[in-house]
Amino acid sequence: MKFEFAKITNSRLMGSMGLIIGWEKNEKRFNQYFLLDAEGLGISDYVSILDPTKDEAYREEERLMGGLGADRIRIDKEEALFLVNYYGNKNYYYEKPLPGEVDEYIDIIENHKSNLTIYDMFPKICKVIDEEIEFINYMTMRFIAWDKESLYYFSGSEEIANMHITNINGTLLKNEVQSRGNNIYISEAIYEDNDGYYVSKIAFNIDKTEDSFKINSMVAGEKEGLYDFEVFDEISKEEYVSIYSLENSEEFVEKFYEGNPFTLKSDLGNAMFFTRFNFDNNHVKEPMYVINNDMKAIYYQMEDKFFVGTYSDKDRKYINKLLKCNYDKYISLDEELYFDENVLYDFVESEAEDFYDFLDC
């Protein structure tokens, strides 16, 4: 095969990256789409398309990259093959199965040799961080995820890279950053580990070099356990739920996903769930980081009903205007409701058949 192009999202600090490699195969385009997980999975998703149309290639790229909130960076053949080899070998290390048609890329994992290291790739796979608060949020996220690579790259210290307070690759749920002056910042982090939820304070001393920030030192305080309802109260936010009646629901779902390939689609058997993320990760710049602040809307289709959850009145108006303009022949608005906490996702998880009965429980 002849190499044509490759591009990667610079979303390494969020934990996942989308990688596309384009080849010429028997005088046809052959595109490979990899989702790379830096937090313990390696290659977590893979699909390929032979001779895609422009629309097919666009939809698959948006499916892979649209929800990662990152820029798409061109890389060369050697860099692309290195990343497939590097993250594919993580699957072996973590004893995780390789996804998709493995025979299409297994040779790269088993036989490709490179002089590159993962740290050579960091300037391309990590976004440029401009602000101190953003840097602290990302480093707190990487610390909770037990991400030795990132901690070492941004500190140059093996001691810092080996620090951890989680048992596994934990998930940062909420973080509040405070400046104490003299380049010292305190994170108050709420996170999920394999045995429950915790809160802990982490102190960072940082410097800014010419082109990036650096961790000089960090100290993690004692962790305290939290109940799940306490965590829910911390990360829950107001929600607007719009309820539509549907005609030709199967055709609508097909058209909806064709028009919104950047949403994360989850097939629930007798229902369909979509998550729409913001097209950037600017929420990481806020002193109060919350994991679900990157969600713009969620959509839930169940039989002849379509539920839309949004998190501000501005987004409610915008999303519903888009739906009316693009899918007017399929949908009609029944009702709009306001809640001071998240409701729709709980309804989806409950697998209840009636939304109003669910609210009465």
Side-chain angles (χ1 to χ4, degrees):
M1 293 190 297
K2 179 184 176 183
F3 176 79
E4 294 286 337
F5 74 94
K7 50 186 166 180
I8 184 86
T9 56
N10 61 348
S11 52
R12 171 63 178 78
L13 293 177
M14 294 299 292
S16 296
M17 297 159 285
L19 169 67
I20 303 175
I21 308 177
W23 307 88
E24 182 186 295
K25 181 179 181 181
N26 299 326
E27 298 184 350
K28 294 182 179 180
R29 172 65 60 83
F30 177 63
N31 285 359
Q32 296 180 293
Y33 302 83
F34 298 88
L35 183 63
L36 308 179
D37 187 307
E39 296 181 356
L41 290 179
I43 299 174
S44 59
D45 190 23
Y46 170 79
V47 297
S48 63
I49 306 178
L50 180 62
D51 200 24
T53 65
K54 286 185 178 180
D55 284 345
E56 288 171 337
Y58 166 76
R59 285 198 298 270
E60 195 57 42
E61 177 172 333
E62 292 306 309
R63 183 196 69 80
L64 175 68
M65 296 179 164
L68 294 176
D71 294 332
R72 302 166 196 191
I73 309 299
R74 289 276 180 164
I75 57 176
D76 62 32
K77 178 182 178 181
E78 177 57 29
E79 292 169 329
L81 296 182
F82 167 77
L83 289 170
V84 174
N85 174 274
Y86 183 81
Y87 283 99
N89 276 287
K90 280 185 176 289
N91 289 71
Y92 292 157
Y93 179 82
Y94 291 108
E95 298 182 343
K96 303 290 185 181
L98 291 164
E101 296 294 330
V102 179
D103 62 317
E104 294 180 353
Y105 61 91
I106 189 63
D107 184 65
I108 303 172
I109 296 172
E110 294 186 342
N111 298 314
H112 183 70
K113 306 297 180 184
S114 177
N115 292 323
L116 291 172
T117 71
I118 191 61
Y119 300 113
D120 294 326
M121 294 303 303
F122 260 64
K124 292 188 176 182
I125 62 180
C126 296
K127 66 160 292 184
V128 175
I129 304 175
D130 299 315
E131 302 173 13
E132 288 84 352
I133 296 295
E134 183 183 19
F135 181 68
I136 297 300
N137 274 326
Y138 273 124
M139 292 303 100
T140 305
M141 199 184 304
R142 296 300 93 221
F143 178 59
I144 297 301
W146 203 345
D147 185 350
K148 295 181 181 181
E149 289 176 357
S150 289
L151 292 177
Y152 180 77
Y153 181 78
F154 286 100
S155 70
S157 165
E158 291 283 359
E159 181 181 354
I160 290 175
N162 287 317
M163 291 176 63
H164 64 92
I165 54 173
T166 53
N167 302 318
I168 59 167
N169 308 106
T171 301
L172 181 65
L173 303 176
K174 184 177 181 180
N175 194 46
E176 184 175 0
V177 180
Q178 293 183 345
S179 171
R180 295 295 174 86
N182 297 318
N183 296 321
I184 296 173
Y185 293 83
I186 305 294
S187 282
E188 184 167 351
I190 296 174
Y191 61 94
E192 182 178 10
D193 205 351
N194 66 331
D195 58 351
Y197 300 99
Y198 296 92
V199 60
S200 178
K201 289 186 177 180
I202 304 133
F204 295 86
N205 177 270
I206 66 172
D207 271 336
K208 186 169 186 180
T209 62
E210 275 188 20
D211 53 358
S212 68
F213 290 97
K214 178 185 177 182
I215 304 172
N216 291 325
S217 62
M218 58 182 290
V219 178
E222 294 293 323
K223 63 182 184 182
E224 299 178 15
L226 294 173
Y227 292 107
D228 53 359
F229 68 85
E230 294 178 295
V231 175
F232 177 81
D233 287 343
E234 290 285 346
I235 67 174
S236 188
K237 53 188 177 181
E238 65 179 12
E239 184 175 55
Y240 298 84
V241 178
S242 302
I243 305 172
Y244 292 88
S245 290
L246 289 178
E247 292 187 16
N248 300 320
S249 58
E250 289 187 11
E251 183 177 321
F252 165 75
V253 168
E254 182 180 343
K255 295 292 184 183
F256 178 80
Y257 190 49
E258 284 182 2
N260 300 272
F262 43 78
T263 58
L264 178 64
K265 177 183 175 183
S266 302
D267 190 340
L268 305 180
N270 63 342
M272 202 68 70
F273 183 69
F274 302 89
T275 306
R276 175 172 179 169
F277 297 97
N278 292 319
F279 293 139
D280 58 53
N281 288 314
N282 286 340
H283 64 296
V284 186
K285 297 180 179 180
E286 299 297 324
M288 186 75 75
Y289 165 85
V290 182
I291 188 171
N292 55 15
N293 276 354
D294 63 343
M295 290 196 307
K296 194 173 189 69
I298 58 175
Y299 309 88
Y300 183 49
Q301 176 269 324
M302 184 178 63
E303 297 180 343
D304 63 348
K305 293 294 182 182
F306 191 58
F307 301 86
V308 182
T310 50
Y311 307 102
S312 71
D313 192 48
K314 178 181 177 181
D315 283 344
R316 176 190 67 82
K317 293 174 180 176
Y318 172 72
I319 294 294
N320 286 311
K321 183 177 180 180
L322 281 181
L323 289 170
K324 182 173 176 59
C325 289
N326 295 329
Y327 309 104
D328 192 45
K329 63 180 285 190
Y330 299 103
I331 63 174
S332 58
L333 182 63
D334 294 340
E335 189 173 9
E336 291 188 289
L337 303 171
Y338 169 80
F339 301 94
D340 57 10
E341 61 182 20
N342 297 154
V343 169
L344 184 55
Y345 188 78
D346 288 345
F347 173 59
V348 175
E349 280 201 317
S350 74
E351 299 182 354
E353 296 181 356
D354 187 280
F355 184 63
Y356 299 101
D357 287 346
F358 171 79
L359 296 178
D360 290 336
C361 291

